[in-house]
Amino acid sequence: MAELEGLEFGKSDFVLLDEVTMEQFMENLKLRFEKGRIYTYIGEVVVSVNPYREMDIYGGPAIEAYRGRELYENPPHLYAVSDAAYKAMKRRSKDTCIVISGESGAGKTEASKYIMQYIAAITNPGQRAEVESVKNVLLQSNCVLESFGNAKTNRNDNSSRFGKYMDINFNFNGEPTGGHINNYLLEKSRVVQQQEGERSFHSFYQLLRGGSEETLQSLHLQNDPGLYVYTREGAGAATSTNDRSSHREVLRALEVIGFSAPEVKSVFRILASILHLGNLRFEGDGEAVQVLDPGTVDHIAELTATEPDQVQKSLLFRTVATGGGDVIEKEHTEQEGRFGRDAFAKALYERLFGWIVSRINDIIQVKNYDPVLHGKNTVIGVLDIYGFEIFDNNRFEQFCINYCNEKLQQLFIELILQQEQGEYQREGIAWQHIDYFNNQIIVDLVEQPHRGIISVLDEACLGVGRVTDTLCLESMDSQLGGHPHYTSRKLSPTDKTMDFQKHFRIRHYAGDVTYSVEGFLDKNKDLLFQDFKRLMFNSSDPVLKEMWPDGQLGITEVTKRPQTAATLFKNSIVQLVDKLACKEPYYVRCVKPNELKSPVLFDEARCRHQVAYLGLLENVMVRRAGFAYRQLYPRFLQRYKMTCEYTWPNHLMASDREAVEAIITQHGFHDDVAYGHTKLFVRTPRSLFTLEQERSNLIPILVLFLQKVWRGALARRRCRRMRAVYTIMGVYRRYKVKAHFWEVERIFTGVRTTPDYGRSLQWPTPPAALEQFHNITVLLHRRWWARQIVKNIPPSETPEVRAKVAALTALSGERKDWGVGRAWERDYLANVRDCPQTSSAFIRVTKELKNRDGYGHVVFSGLCRKVNRFSRSSDRALLVTDKLVYKLDPRKQFRVLKRFPLETLTGVSVTSGPDQMVALHTAVQDDVLMCLQRGQLGPEQDRVGELVGALVDHFTRTRKVHFPVKVSGPVLQLHMRGRPRSVAVETRAGLAAADFKKSRDGFVLLLPTV
């Protein structure tokens, strides 16, 4: 029973119907179609309804869902029966086959594609190149065979006009190693004539509409099918396929399969020859017949690599050998000329199609196979064959097709019965006789030697004299008149649905079919003049020559009479049935829901007819005769064990069978079941549905219970994991902390003895938990390092160091060069080396000022260029003491020009450049603007940093107040006499020294160009 489908979709297996009636069968089929469930089982048979739309139930995810699964585990699908056939072949080394049947338009060709797609997808997981090559050829062969063997009909845009049976060979690993294709009864009459609204084979239209301009020119063709008699009927027929893209796909497929370029050209030349043959016209004047299109004859000769006169002779004359060994040429009548032309065209296409199939077989045949080395070679066969056909006018082709279906139906019922009987015997269940319609009587009506219809047709074809279809019908009436499944108008004069001397009727298993006898003899003879065979055999085209081996016979050479078309077909079907009978069969029965190709319309009368002639109801009856459902004990127990307290969640009994018996006994079904050796057999679907209903009711409860238990288990597992995580994190953190301490200890051991006290050592990266501790530790080390450095500084250098530290802090790295690398003298005016000529005078003046003003020490002294209150610049000396600031005139023995208390200074401004400009800000907004000048000690010395460091150190350390320092860009801001001024810095060539110049906003400090 298929899993994952509720009852709202109907019953997924027809065996489970409450009653096996046509009404219930159709109701279930219709419901599933309307719900989008196009597949339904009858046991292991898949019933497929054409959806006439794309469905998202194929491809990679679906293939994975069905791979290796049992039939009942997933909803019905083609993939399920494909997998079952593959598993039977691989696991039990049994040859299997999948028989696909149904009428035109029911989806047989698409079904075979999906089956091939599935088998290709699940094989060769190792991607071996030779296996992939075989798979590609097998898949691409479908494209080529569709092009040359399919056509648009009024029922189907891609109708297979031939039967196809493909054997796929597998090695012991289950990998495809080759294959073989058999084709049956190609509808070659379609080449020369089609019904209204239908087309000839796809290949003609694909060549005409998809061939390149160069190709068509070489074939003397134009890209309009309406120009050619054989394709004119279908030139305007609408179709869902695109001939241009299909032609490209066919070319790619031929290349993948292995057709050479000359072979492909030969194929297209033959197609072109057939089209040109259809345009030949004959005209007779009562005595002679001639071809009206000599140019077309030349084209045919060129394309078939023969001589034009030989082509024309074959079309107009027939060579006949007399009994005495003489050879005469008999000229055709106009009617015989047209008949010979059409027969030649049909034979050309039939042999072309046969050659393509044989060429594919040559490529995909199993090569270098040795059973000793490679193990057993197993086979999966796929049969895609026409279904039962009942038209308004049924001819010879329908007769053959329906005979084929009679043979397959007989095999189908026999194999199903054999399977059922074999399973009952294996399980030890008593077998009950099943009444069913045995269509052997209909098969005998057609094929029985000396008495069947085929024998009557063959005798008529061998008869001497003028034997017509009407005489053949009379012969059948006389020999078969007493058969219960045969009748005609002569035998049933009151039946006006048949005409005298024209119709006969066979009562097939699928229904009564009335056949028109017209054309039966001609099609059965399948006559083709020997002249055409010799013409093609003598072609210089090797491909064409290979297709006509019988053309090598001499004119007077006596050969055995060839078998008729019906006999050949009968023999091939007998061989096919023998092949299928020795394999384990799986069936796909395709149903066409309506004639309008609508995805929503379900024509019940149409479908009922197909269900009848496919024998689906009989299949259900055979499957249901006795027991409707059977399942292995472990699988039955696994599905229904929750419905019994003794088996849930696990049983303690001796075997699974005893556990199953407990389930059956608890539900009171012991009278409705039988116990086999390995399987339980359930007689009626009602018992199974009762179990299913109880299971469905229990599933939500069990799901909630399992969810509760599982969620609790997950929560407990998460809790244990979190505890473990935190424990591990704690241990790891402690380890990382210790490891960090060990690493710091290793690196900094002995730093007291190193010259730089560990300043150059690289600190290890700390763990995140020690980030703050690490920063504090680094800071402590730096302070310790500074302390060690400071301890070694002589007391005489301490003030200089303090001033440099103050300058470093105040300038904050904004001034690049501030004199940190040299010794700071501070009192440069008193230094003999810096001011050798004026130092003595300055010393004398400072003594007087110290005695008079009482300052303690000099903070800074030096020469400068200063701007006075009249906005003029002049050379001055600056003396900064711990109490007062002095402006002195160096030219007049350092006479004091101005003094003001040091505490009136509120800050200092300097630039970030190399200039020596300084602005001392005062509380009264009358700032001092100067440019420091260098003495003899160093003409390039920067003394701005020294002045800033001395002032900051004095204010910070002595006065305990913050002294602001502003480092600006090239423009410095200050106040003079209460008014704001700005001072810019510029360079100018030709200057000997720096000097100030008045500007509109203040001043400009002009620097000499370096």
Side-chain angles (χ1 to χ4, degrees):
M1 173 165 196
E3 187 66 279
L4 306 177
E5 283 195 334
L7 292 177
E8 67 271 17
F9 299 110
K11 295 180 173 63
S12 57
D13 194 330
F14 286 112
V15 173
L16 301 178
L17 292 174
D18 294 333
E19 296 180 10
V20 185
T21 62
M22 179 62 78
E23 287 69 24
Q24 284 212 7
F25 190 99
M26 295 304 302
E27 181 181 347
N28 190 61
L29 187 67
K30 181 179 181 181
L31 175 61
R32 291 184 63 77
F33 174 75
E34 291 173 348
K35 294 289 187 179
R37 300 304 192 266
I38 63 172
Y39 298 120
T40 313
Y41 289 139
I42 303 176
E44 294 183 348
V45 176
V46 174
V47 179
S48 170
V49 183
N50 193 337
Y52 287 119
R53 60 188 171 97
E54 295 292 330
M55 300 195 70
D56 189 22
I57 58 174
Y58 307 102
I63 290 173
E64 287 304 315
Y66 283 87
R67 183 200 295 262
R69 300 288 185 176
E70 299 297 332
L71 280 172
Y72 71 91
E73 292 187 70
N74 284 308
H77 202 291
L78 285 174
Y79 290 166
V81 74
S82 305
D83 193 78
Y86 180 75
K87 283 187 299 189
M89 178 276 300
K90 186 175 181 181
R91 293 177 182 175
R92 305 199 300 269
S93 295
K94 293 200 66 171
D95 291 344
T96 61
C97 64
I98 302 174
V99 180
I100 308 170
S101 60
E103 72 172 43
S104 178
K108 300 187 300 296
T109 301
E110 290 301 311
S112 67
K113 287 182 186 177
Y114 288 127
I115 290 170
M116 294 292 295
Q117 175 196 65
Y118 182 84
I119 294 174
I122 65 173
T123 54
N124 193 30
Q127 297 295 306
R128 290 173 52 201
E130 63 271 22
V131 178
E132 284 299 304
S133 175
V134 172
K135 284 164 54 175
N136 288 336
V137 172
L138 290 172
L139 291 174
Q140 293 299 327
S141 65
N142 282 328
C143 176
V144 176
L145 294 180
E146 277 188 28
S147 173
F148 289 88
N150 289 22
K152 179 197 179 327
T153 67
N154 290 323
R155 291 186 169 191
N156 184 6
D157 284 354
N158 189 31
S159 176
S160 297
R161 307 318 300 163
F162 70 107
K164 179 181 71 175
Y165 176 75
M166 176 186 289
D167 267 335
I168 308 171
N169 297 85
F170 295 85
N171 61 16
F172 70 98
N173 283 330
E175 296 173 346
T177 57
H180 186 83
I181 298 172
N182 293 96
N183 62 292
Y184 303 96
L185 194 65
L186 177 72
E187 189 189 15
K188 60 183 179 180
S189 60
R190 180 170 292 272
V191 173
V192 299
Q193 185 179 8
Q194 307 92 38
Q195 295 185 28
E196 183 179 353
E198 297 190 349
R199 301 203 315 178
S200 185
F201 293 98
H202 292 325
S203 55
F204 293 110
Y205 302 92
Q206 291 171 2
L207 174 62
L208 292 173
R209 288 177 172 152
S212 65
E213 185 176 348
E214 179 183 357
T215 300
L216 293 179
Q217 285 181 356
S218 67
L219 301 175
H220 308 289
L221 296 174
Q222 300 182 47
N223 60 353
D224 181 8
L227 298 177
Y228 304 97
V229 173
Y230 287 164
T231 57
R232 186 173 296 159
E233 176 61 42
T239 177
S240 58
T241 58
N242 185 299
D243 292 321
R244 289 186 179 87
S245 61
S246 296
H247 183 68
R248 291 193 294 270
E249 291 174 6
V250 170
L251 288 176
R252 285 195 296 269
L254 289 170
E255 182 180 357
V256 170
I257 292 171
F259 283 79
S260 65
E263 287 175 335
V264 174
K265 289 181 179 179
S266 294
V267 169
F268 290 149
R269 283 198 293 265
I270 294 171
L271 290 178
S273 301
I274 295 171
L275 292 173
H276 288 303
L277 275 172
N279 282 7
L280 285 177
R281 293 174 297 164
F282 297 90
E283 184 180 63
D285 56 3
E287 294 183 1
V289 178
Q290 60 180 355
V291 178
L292 296 180
D293 309 283
T296 304
V297 173
D298 293 340
H299 294 333
I300 295 171
E302 176 188 340
L303 295 170
T304 57
T306 54
E307 296 298 327
D309 57 337
Q310 293 298 320
V311 174
Q312 183 155 343
K313 182 178 179 181
S314 299
L315 290 167
L316 297 178
F317 296 91
R318 174 160 56 112
T319 305
V320 180
T322 65
D326 296 330
V327 177
I328 61 172
E329 290 183 351
K330 181 181 178 183
E331 187 174 3
H332 291 320
T333 63
E334 187 176 342
Q335 181 180 0
E336 289 174 338
R338 287 193 294 268
F339 174 82
R341 174 201 62 190
D342 291 344
F344 183 35
K346 291 187 289 184
L348 268 176
Y349 196 82
E350 182 183 36
R351 300 215 180 190
L352 170 63
F353 186 76
W355 177 83
I356 291 174
V357 172
S358 65
R359 185 73 179 89
I360 295 174
N361 286 334
D362 291 341
I363 294 171
I364 64 176
Q365 68 178 348
V366 180
K367 301 175 179 65
N368 303 322
Y369 172 71
D370 185 351
V372 177
L373 295 176
H374 304 115
K376 183 180 178 183
N377 185 1
T378 50
V379 170
I380 292 181
V382 180
L383 176 63
D384 172 10
I385 202 159
Y386 17 63
F388 202 85
E389 291 187 350
I390 304 177
F391 298 147
D392 294 335
N393 188 13
N394 300 288
R395 299 186 180 275
F396 181 78
E397 290 82 5
Q398 281 70 50
F399 171 76
C400 293
I401 288 172
N402 292 342
Y403 159 67
C404 171
N405 278 270
E406 289 285 357
K407 291 286 289 184
L408 293 176
Q409 175 67 10
Q410 181 189 30
L411 176 68
F412 175 62
I413 295 297
E414 285 181 356
L415 291 179
I416 291 294
L417 282 172
Q418 288 176 9
Q419 286 179 338
E420 288 291 294
Q421 190 171 4
E423 184 171 27
Y424 277 52
Q425 289 173 351
R426 286 193 304 271
E427 295 295 325
I429 304 295
W431 173 252
Q432 299 177 357
H433 175 72
I434 299 174
D435 291 326
Y436 69 97
F437 173 67
N438 188 341
N439 64 336
Q440 181 64 47
I441 188 173
I442 304 176
V443 173
D444 290 341
L445 169 66
V446 177
E447 69 175 15
Q448 187 176 17
H450 310 299
R451 289 185 57 81
I453 294 176
I454 292 178
S455 296
V456 175
L457 287 174
D458 288 352
E459 288 176 9
C461 292
L462 298 175
V464 179
R466 180 71 173 172
V467 180
T468 63
D469 294 324
T470 303
L471 292 175
C472 180
L473 177 59
E474 292 178 358
S475 179
M476 285 194 293
D477 289 342
S478 63
Q479 295 190 44
L480 305 172
H483 198 285
H485 289 268
Y486 175 88
T487 187
S488 66
R489 183 64 185 275
K490 180 180 178 181
L491 300 176
S492 303
T494 58
D495 188 350
K496 296 183 179 180
T497 58
M498 294 183 288
D499 294 338
F500 285 105
Q501 300 182 344
K502 181 178 181 181
H503 292 139
F504 68 94
R505 180 176 296 154
I506 297 177
R507 186 175 301 160
H508 290 280
Y509 78 93
D512 295 349
V513 182
T514 302
Y515 298 97
S516 172
V517 79
E518 291 178 351
F520 261 57
L521 290 183
D522 286 340
K523 292 178 180 179
N524 191 40
K525 291 177 183 177
D526 198 19
L527 180 63
L528 179 67
F529 300 137
Q530 189 71 21
D531 301 75
F532 291 118
K533 299 177 183 180
R534 285 192 291 272
L535 176 68
M536 293 296 97
F537 179 76
N538 292 321
S539 168
S540 57
D541 185 338
V543 173
L544 200 55
K545 185 182 184 72
E546 183 183 347
M547 296 179 190
W548 299 84
D550 48 349
Q552 62 183 324
L553 298 176
I555 299 175
T556 60
E557 192 171 346
V558 179
T559 60
K560 184 180 179 181
R561 182 181 292 274
Q563 292 181 321
T564 61
T567 299
L568 288 171
F569 182 69
K570 181 192 73 173
N571 294 340
S572 65
I573 295 301
V574 169
Q575 292 174 1
L576 173 63
V577 169
D578 290 341
K579 279 186 177 181
L580 298 178
C582 65
K583 294 179 172 62
E584 184 172 318
Y586 295 84
Y587 293 93
V588 178
R589 301 302 216 185
C590 299
V591 176
K592 183 177 183 179
N594 58 77
E595 293 290 347
L596 303 178
K597 303 172 187 174
S598 167
V600 296
L601 180 62
F602 187 86
D603 186 342
E604 189 165 342
R606 191 81 186 78
C607 294
R608 183 187 295 265
H609 174 69
Q610 295 174 76
V611 169
Y613 77 64
L614 286 172
L616 300 183
L617 208 59
E618 288 81 358
N619 189 359
V620 178
M621 291 177 180
V622 169
R623 185 76 177 179
R624 277 281 295 271
F627 297 95
Y629 177 78
R630 70 287 311 264
Q631 188 56 271
L632 293 170
Y633 291 127
R635 292 174 183 166
F636 184 91
L637 178 64
Q638 182 67 27
R639 186 170 182 82
Y640 299 113
K641 64 180 180 178
M642 73 285 298
T643 65
C644 178
E645 58 183 326
Y646 302 110
T647 57
W648 177 258
N650 294 300
H651 69 85
L652 301 176
M653 302 175 193
S655 65
D656 289 343
R657 172 173 174 167
E658 292 183 19
V660 170
E661 289 179 4
I663 296 175
I664 296 300
T665 302
Q666 178 168 321
H667 291 84
F669 297 153
H670 51 274
D671 294 331
D672 198 41
V673 301
Y675 298 98
H677 298 310
T678 63
K679 291 183 178 181
L680 173 72
F681 289 73
V682 182
R683 182 170 284 104
T684 62
R686 183 58 54 196
S687 300
L688 191 64
F689 287 135
T690 302
L691 287 171
E692 278 294 317
Q693 188 63 45
E694 186 166 349
R695 180 179 182 273
S696 299
N697 294 336
L698 287 172
I699 287 296
I701 300 173
L702 294 176
V703 168
L704 289 175
F705 174 75
L706 291 175
Q707 285 179 341
K708 180 186 73 172
V709 174
W710 180 239
R711 285 170 181 165
L714 288 178
R716 287 188 291 274
R717 186 170 69 179
R718 282 196 298 268
C719 182
R720 288 194 297 269
R721 285 182 176 178
M722 291 301 294
R723 287 176 180 173
V725 166
Y726 283 124
T727 301
I728 294 170
M729 287 172 59
V731 173
Y732 184 71
R733 283 174 179 170
R734 288 193 293 273
Y735 162 74
K736 292 293 287 185
V737 168
K738 292 179 180 179
H740 179 71
F741 288 155
W742 294 334
E743 185 67 11
V744 171
E745 182 181 6
R746 184 188 65 79
I747 293 174
F748 287 91
T749 298
V751 293
R752 291 178 181 273
T753 60
T754 58
D756 62 349
Y757 299 102
R759 174 78 173 177
S760 60
L761 295 177
Q762 182 71 32
W763 284 81
T765 303
L770 291 179
E771 189 70 37
Q772 185 177 1
F773 177 80
H774 172 75
N775 295 334
I776 295 173
T777 306
V778 172
L779 180 61
L780 289 174
H781 174 261
R782 288 178 179 174
R783 288 181 177 179
W784 176 82
W785 171 82
R787 178 65 180 163
Q788 298 304 314
I789 297 298
V790 169
K791 279 170 49 177
N792 295 326
I793 297 175
S796 59
E797 296 180 5
T798 300
E800 180 182 347
V801 172
R802 287 175 177 168
K804 286 183 177 181
V805 172
L808 174 66
T809 306
L811 296 175
S812 303
E814 296 184 41
R815 188 175 175 95
K816 182 178 180 182
D817 184 15
W818 48 277
V820 67
R822 63 177 180 81
W824 285 4
E825 300 292 337
R826 289 204 179 191
D827 193 1
Y828 287 99
L829 294 178
N831 193 312
V832 178
R833 291 177 299 148
D834 194 64
C835 299
Q837 299 177 356
T838 61
S839 60
S840 59
F842 178 75
I843 292 172
R844 185 178 67 252
V845 170
T846 55
K847 287 181 179 179
E848 295 175 356
L849 292 176
K850 185 175 183 180
N851 292 331
R852 186 180 65 188
D853 297 333
Y855 66 80
H857 63 275
V858 176
V859 175
F860 182 83
S861 69
L863 298 174
C864 64
R865 186 75 174 175
K866 180 185 173 300
V867 177
N868 61 20
R869 60 183 177 176
F870 302 109
S871 301
R872 296 176 182 173
S873 61
S874 56
D875 291 328
R876 295 288 184 263
L878 175 67
L879 173 62
V880 181
T881 67
D882 56 347
K883 287 187 177 180
L884 297 169
V885 177
Y886 297 92
K887 181 176 72 172
L888 309 174
D889 187 352
R891 296 180 181 179
K892 296 182 180 181
Q893 297 297 313
F894 295 100
R895 182 170 62 88
V896 177
L897 299 178
K898 184 179 180 180
R899 66 167 62 103
F900 56 88
L902 181 63
E903 59 265 20
T904 61
L905 292 180
T906 59
V908 63
S909 292
V910 299
T911 66
S912 58
D915 59 86
Q916 299 298 299
M917 182 169 57
V918 178
L920 300 176
H921 302 295
T922 63
V924 296
Q925 291 192 343
D926 189 11
D927 301 339
V928 179
L929 177 63
M930 69 186 77
C931 178
L932 298 179
Q933 295 177 340
R934 304 172 179 99
Q936 299 295 322
L937 282 176
E940 300 299 326
Q941 283 183 350
D942 185 287
R943 295 181 179 179
V944 172
E946 187 174 355
L947 174 60
V948 169
L951 289 174
V952 171
D953 178 59
H954 175 77
F955 275 86
T956 310
R957 188 171 55 82
T958 305
R959 298 181 179 271
K960 309 297 183 184
V961 296
H962 174 66
F963 189 73
V965 178
K966 181 178 181 182
V967 182
S968 61
V971 178
L972 189 146
Q973 303 293 333
L974 75 163
H975 288 80
M976 299 187 72
R977 303 176 70 86
R979 299 174 62 183
R981 292 284 187 270
S982 62
V983 185
V985 181
E986 296 180 2
T987 58
R988 181 173 294 180
L991 291 178
D995 197 5
F996 289 98
K997 177 183 178 182
K998 189 173 174 30
S999 68
R1000 185 177 63 180
D1001 298 328
F1003 303 94
V1004 177
L1005 176 62
L1006 299 176
L1007 300 177
T1009 304
V1010 179

